[in-house]
Amino acid sequence: MTKIQTMAWALLTAVGGVGGIFAGMALANALK
Amino acid sequence: MMFGGSSELTDDLTSVTAVAAGGGDPPVDPVENRRRWFAIAGATAGIVGFSAFLTTLYTGMRHVEAGGGFCASGGPYVIAHQCTAADTRQVFIGVIGMLIFGGLFVGLTAYADGPVLVPSGLLWAALFGSLGAGFVFLPKGTQSGSSNYGVGIPFLLMAAAGLWPAITSGLAWLRRGGEPEPETPAFGGNIPLVRAAVEAPAMNAPPSAPSAGPNKPVVPKRLVIPPKDGL
């Protein structure tokens, strides 16, 4: 990976991980 | 700066063979570069899915813990805590989805030539840390039992082990001052992994006459066979 790709990967992973929590709350609610 | 009519051709060739990576990196193969970007996009989808399904699993487990930490359904016995359909769906779909998307994230990160050990450890820590914390810190009004700590504390210890690669890699990165890890071949590149313990025989060497020296072992010149009558 280049430096830009590493930074993009880390940023997207962090944002995606946090965003996934909210998506998971919605998913868990939908599975009730 | 190029003079004459060949500058466009030269620029085109440069753009075909390599693209500027930016950030001081050397130019990289555009096909490889594109592959990495696609893999990074896929890995992002993987981490979103992993996080979402882990949250779903956590929600289902949290509800089970609020109901006493145990549930079952079916069978010939009367069950005090029946599993609800929502718990079952959340836990099972959460586990399966988490595994699939976690594998997708790590696999595509590796496909993008990215790190594998540290993100895998962090996923491990997220899984066991969240579930362990859920066992130890119960919802309000829930009666705690020793089994909560018996399961929750080992889970938290397992989560801490998953953080270890990230901690050691982070400390090494700080020691290097943010510089990338130097790529040195094993043993400096000049020491073979396996070395013969004895000298190799000289090939095509002229035959040498045996010489009797002080270190030469004594070999009998004649073999004396005992007479058969004595047997």
Side-chain angles (χ1 to χ4, degrees):
Chain A
M1 276 192 191
T2 62
K3 278 183 186 172
I4 290 175
Q5 285 171 333
T6 304
M7 286 161 58
W9 170 81
L11 183 67
L12 288 170
T13 299
V15 172
V18 174
I21 293 174
F22 295 100
M25 289 162 70
L27 178 64
N29 204 33
L31 288 173
K32 269 188 181 174
Chain B
M1 186 174 179
M2 297 292 293
F3 294 98
S6 64
S7 60
E8 289 182 6
L9 177 62
T10 310
D11 290 343
D12 286 347
L13 285 174
T14 307
S15 65
V16 167
T17 53
V19 295
D25 284 324
V28 293
D29 179 21
V31 176
E32 196 174 322
N33 203 42
R34 194 161 53 243
R35 170 179 67 84
R36 285 176 180 163
W37 280 118
F38 276 121
I40 289 169
T44 305
I47 192 63
V48 171
F50 173 83
S51 183
F53 282 101
L54 178 59
T55 306
T56 306
L57 167 63
Y58 176 83
T59 307
M61 286 302 297
R62 195 74 174 157
H63 192 250
V64 171
E65 288 151 14
F70 169 79
C71 78
S73 54
Y77 300 101
V78 177
I79 299 163
H81 297 282
Q82 290 276 349
C83 292
T84 64
D87 295 342
T88 309
R89 276 197 298 265
Q90 287 170 345
V91 169
F92 277 91
I93 292 175
V95 166
I96 293 168
M98 176 205 64
L99 290 174
I100 291 172
F101 279 92
L104 195 70
F105 170 70
V106 174
L108 286 174
T109 299
Y111 191 56
D113 301 327
V116 173
L117 184 63
V118 170
S120 303
L122 291 177
L123 295 193
W124 174 277
L127 169 63
F128 287 102
S130 60
L131 293 182
F135 281 121
V136 172
F137 306 106
L138 292 171
K140 280 185 179 177
T142 307
Q143 189 177 0
S144 177
S146 60
S147 61
N148 289 99
Y149 297 106
V151 176
I153 291 173
F155 267 38
L156 290 175
L157 291 174
M158 289 166 73
L163 292 176
W164 184 250
I167 292 170
T168 52
S169 296
L171 289 176
W173 183 76
L174 287 176
R175 274 199 296 272
R176 290 195 304 270
E179 292 297 316
E181 195 172 0
E183 293 184 10
T184 53
F187 304 107
N190 53 6
I191 301 175
L193 294 177
V194 179
R195 177 181 287 170
V198 295
E199 289 291 329
M203 303 299 289
N204 298 326
S208 58
S211 60
N215 297 329
K216 186 99 175 156
V218 178
V219 179
K221 289 183 179 178
R222 187 187 301 168
L223 181 64
V224 180
I225 300 174
K228 289 184 179 179
D229 299 342
L231 295 176

